[in-house]
Amino acid sequence: MKMDWASLVVPSVRAVEAYQPGITEQKLRRVTGLDRIFKFASNEVPFGPSPVVEAAMRDALRRANRYPDSRDLLEALSEHLAVPEQCLTLGNGSIDVLEALVRIFVDKQHNVVLSRYGYSAYTALVKVQGASIRWADSGPRFSHKVDNLLAQVDSNTRMILIDSPSNLSGEWMQPTDLQRLLQALPPHVIVVLDEAYAEFVGNDHAKRSAQLPLGGARLIITRTFSKAYGLAGMRVGYGIADSAVINHLSRIGRPFPVSGVALAGARAALSDRAYIEHVVTETVRGRRRLAEALSNLGIDVQYAHGNFVLVDLGADAQSIYERTMTRGYILRSLGSYGLRTHLRISIGTSEEISDLIDLIAELSRGRVSGSSLAAVG
Ligand SMILES: *Cc1c(COP(=O)(O)O)cnc(C)c1O
């Protein structure tokens, strides 16, 4: 008899749809046979780690037989952010920290308020708890609107979870708006602010906002080494919260969530200020150049504080998405957000940006007839 596994899986998990990470470079290379594949879909940094970071990771490899020790990274983060170590927690990427936060605060009877155009990975975290989602409409340019978030809060709301800067538009919640949100919330609601792109807003912002969870505010912040620090493949994120929150997180935390190589890489990356300054400067420059070039082609471009731009092609984006893909460029389609005319494009190296601009110019002149990419997907 055929086993019916699905019927044995807990209902909250059956209700979840798997996160769609998009096609990988390896897969597109196989399908197209092209040598050069450009990935502009996941907001990764286009450069590999700096020599200092690479050396630290190599060195850590030699201790792969030992369980890792996270103390060096926690100490360095504590110093860098001027936040006590008891207020910091590490995770296997910031998504790991976000998952743990939802687990310790959100139960079946609760709801979580999400912004319509917030990061799509949040939905699964809430649904797995058996909790419900209340959707707040976004404001102009896909920003998260304080009044709309507040309007969704009811007596069962336990958490508001938002990405700032946003993963879609790069818009961030201004400090005055955040203060207004925190002050207006009833005491049973906490705000979790996912600052995956904080470093692109600026070093001052990254340091200042790290202080906010310390002063008694019902605010928790998550950050990551995946974006500006260029270590997406290493999976290191962290949370900043009141020490009581950190204490409760430690009760459910698995032992050793971050590998020794990843810890060493993150520790070195934190000290390598030249690398991160280079990334931010190059990102800002590349973003402006890409936006200007696309605007000149008559394409509507939006960007703010992320290492990406959001384009609105005004017509179904699927065709450009597929035609750039046949040429080896992976952009981010946004159909899962219900945005059929938009694409998101991460900022690559200067050369990659030039090539992409040329390609989009060529496609928008209609010189290339779209070959179907039915085989990809
Ligand atoms: C990329 C991204 C993450 C994932 O970060 P990891 O630390 O790699 O898990 C989380 N939130 C947002 C908004 C992101 O864009």
Side-chain angles (χ1 to χ4, degrees), residues 9-52:
V9 169
V10 296
S12 60
V13 172
R14 269 184 269 152
V16 174
E17 278 170 48
Y19 179 74
Q20 297 295 339
I23 187 167
T24 62
E25 283 170 69
Q26 289 80 356
K27 176 156 188 204
L28 188 60
R29 190 171 290 122
R30 256 195 331 267
V31 174
T32 60
L34 294 169
D35 288 339
R36 295 174 72 206
I37 300 291
F38 307 92
K39 184 142 179 267
F40 296 144
S42 303
N43 301 340
E44 297 140 321
V45 163
F47 323 109
S50 71
V52 185

Side-chain angles (χ1 to χ4, degrees), residues 57-78:
M57 294 196 288
R58 275 183 200 289
D59 189 49
L61 269 180
R62 291 188 292 128
R63 292 185 301 279
N65 56 316
R66 299 293 179 197
Y67 280 112
D69 185 343
S70 56
R71 205 166 323 127
D72 275 359
L73 178 57
L74 284 169
E75 263 174 32
L77 271 175
S78 163

Side-chain angles (χ1 to χ4, degrees), residues 93-95 98 119 122 163 167 194 196-197 224 226-227 235-236:
S94 57
I95 197 72
L98 289 165
Y119 185 37
Y122 301 152
D163 46 346
N167 168 288
D194 172 356
Y197 302 96
T224 183
S226 298
K227 303 287 159 65
R235 316 303 304 124
V236 194

Side-chain angles (χ1 to χ4, degrees), residues 200-367:
F200 293 107
V201 182
N203 212 17
D204 284 351
H205 164 74
K207 291 208 163 151
R208 210 176 311 121
S209 91
Q211 303 298 312
L212 296 177
L214 310 180
R218 266 167 294 125
L219 175 70
I220 300 170
I221 288 178
T222 62
R223 300 265 181 88
T224 183
F225 283 89
S226 298
K227 303 287 159 65
Y229 285 100
L231 289 174
M234 284 292 110
R235 316 303 304 124
V236 194
Y238 61 95
I240 311 166
D242 189 281
S243 58
V245 175
I246 304 298
N247 180 289
H248 284 89
L249 283 172
S250 68
R251 301 176 191 209
I252 63 157
R254 284 157 288 143
F256 313 110
V258 185
S259 80
V261 174
L263 287 167
R267 168 71 188 88
L270 194 63
S271 307
D272 191 355
R273 303 316 297 173
Y275 179 87
I276 191 158
E277 277 166 29
H278 176 71
V279 166
V280 173
T281 312
E282 283 298 299
T283 299
V284 170
R285 189 186 321 211
R287 196 173 62 192
R288 195 183 309 123
R289 189 159 69 86
L290 178 62
E292 277 172 13
L294 297 178
S295 296
N296 289 340
L297 294 169
I299 296 171
D300 181 61
V301 191
Q302 163 178 351
Y303 66 86
H305 296 289
N307 58 336
F308 52 87
V309 301
L310 180 66
V311 301
D312 183 354
L313 299 167
D316 193 349
Q318 190 64 18
S319 147
I320 288 281
Y321 172 75
E322 287 178 3
R323 287 193 288 166
T324 48
M325 186 156 347
T326 51
R327 303 282 285 266
Y329 290 81
I330 310 175
L331 311 185
R332 185 74 155 100
S333 65
L334 299 162
S336 60
Y337 290 91
L339 298 173
R340 313 243 160 248
T341 65
H342 289 73
L343 293 173
R344 198 190 61 201
I345 308 173
S346 310
I347 303 303
T349 63
S350 171
E351 194 194 349
E352 289 168 350
I353 293 169
S354 300
D355 290 352
L356 180 68
I357 292 169
D358 290 348
L359 176 62
I360 293 183
E362 181 191 320
L363 295 177
S364 64
R365 282 195 299 270
R367 273 219 249 113

